[in-house]
Amino acid sequence: GAGVSQSPSNKVTEKGKDVELRCDPISGHTALYWYRQSLGQGLEFLIYFQGNSAPDKSGLPSDRFSAERTGGSVSTLTIQRTQQEDSAVYLCASSLTTGTQYEQYFGPGTRLTVT
Amino acid sequence: SQKIEQNSEALNIQEGKTATLTCNYTNYSPAYLQWYRQDPGRGPVFLLLIRENEKEKRKERLKVTFDTTLKQSLFHITASQPADSATYLCAPDRGSTLGRLYFGRGTQLTVWP
């Protein structure tokens, strides 16, 4: 079946512009995660959605970052007034349900470059 | 604060040898620990999960151990092949927070012929 998909695969934007990154999780997966990976760094947790529960936003680095998940499926990560330090690969993952005993399935990522 | 450390340097080994990667964690006790593989330009791919009450888990040429006393997990690849070259990430859970994994920076493994 289809895996996690993300779009766009690459995004180049000017400093100060807003960007939207999209994630389509695996059908039937109720948990969805966003991570950020900077060059040579590990995966930095951003936000986590589980079903209809309030998302865990504790990893968002600033109020310029927001995310929503519509209909329990597709998710959009929005970065407002982008800064150069926002340049990174943004990865989305989904899992069957909540709980760290479930493996996460990752998408290919969106490479964001802020010039 | 909670901290995850993997092999601080890249690991280079010869084909056919066993690769051993280390994941150390401090200041908490995860209930689960997962290992992932990441190839350049791709998202991580799940390999193995081990529970705190399991000492060892195997899958084909892979073996993971989990020592809760030492706060350490070891990841072994036996009979390594050049195709095993990748970055390997360990991901213990956060202990107290459901759903959250805490990824280490990874160890870059290179297997040369």
Side-chain angles (χ1 to χ4, degrees), chain A residues 38-94:
Chain A
S38 302
L39 189 62
Q41 301 297 311
L43 272 70
E44 176 188 3
F45 169 81
L46 298 176
I47 188 169
Y48 155 55
F49 295 90
Q50 170 52 44
N52 295 321
S53 302
D56 177 353
K57 304 180 182 180
S58 59
L60 294 178
S62 78
D63 58 8
R64 296 187 295 104
F65 288 72
S66 63
E68 63 177 17
R69 188 178 184 190
T70 54
S73 180
V74 171
S75 177
T76 302
L77 177 69
T78 301
I79 309 173
Q80 295 179 314
R81 305 181 302 283
T82 52
Q83 304 294 313
Q84 288 186 330
E85 60 263 29
D86 299 333
S87 296
V89 175
Y90 289 80
L91 290 160
C92 173
S94 69

Side-chain angles (χ1 to χ4, degrees), chain A residues 33 35 37 40-43 45 48 56 58-59 91 98-109 111, chain B residues 31-34 36 38 41-46 49 51 89 93-94 97-101 103-106:
Chain A
Y33 312 80
Y35 296 89
Q37 188 171 37
Q41 301 297 311
L43 272 70
F45 169 81
Y48 155 55
D56 177 353
S58 59
L91 290 160
T98 190
T100 52
Q101 67 269 43
Y102 296 98
E103 64 186 272
Q104 295 186 15
Y105 295 81
F106 283 81
R111 181 175 298 278
Chain B
Y32 303 94
L33 190 148
Q34 301 187 21
Y36 287 78
Q38 186 173 25
R42 295 178 175 270
V45 174
F46 172 80
L49 176 147
R51 294 170 170 75
L89 307 170
D93 68 15
R94 295 296 293 269
T97 307
L98 290 177
R100 295 266 311 263
L101 291 176
F103 284 85
R105 289 190 174 188

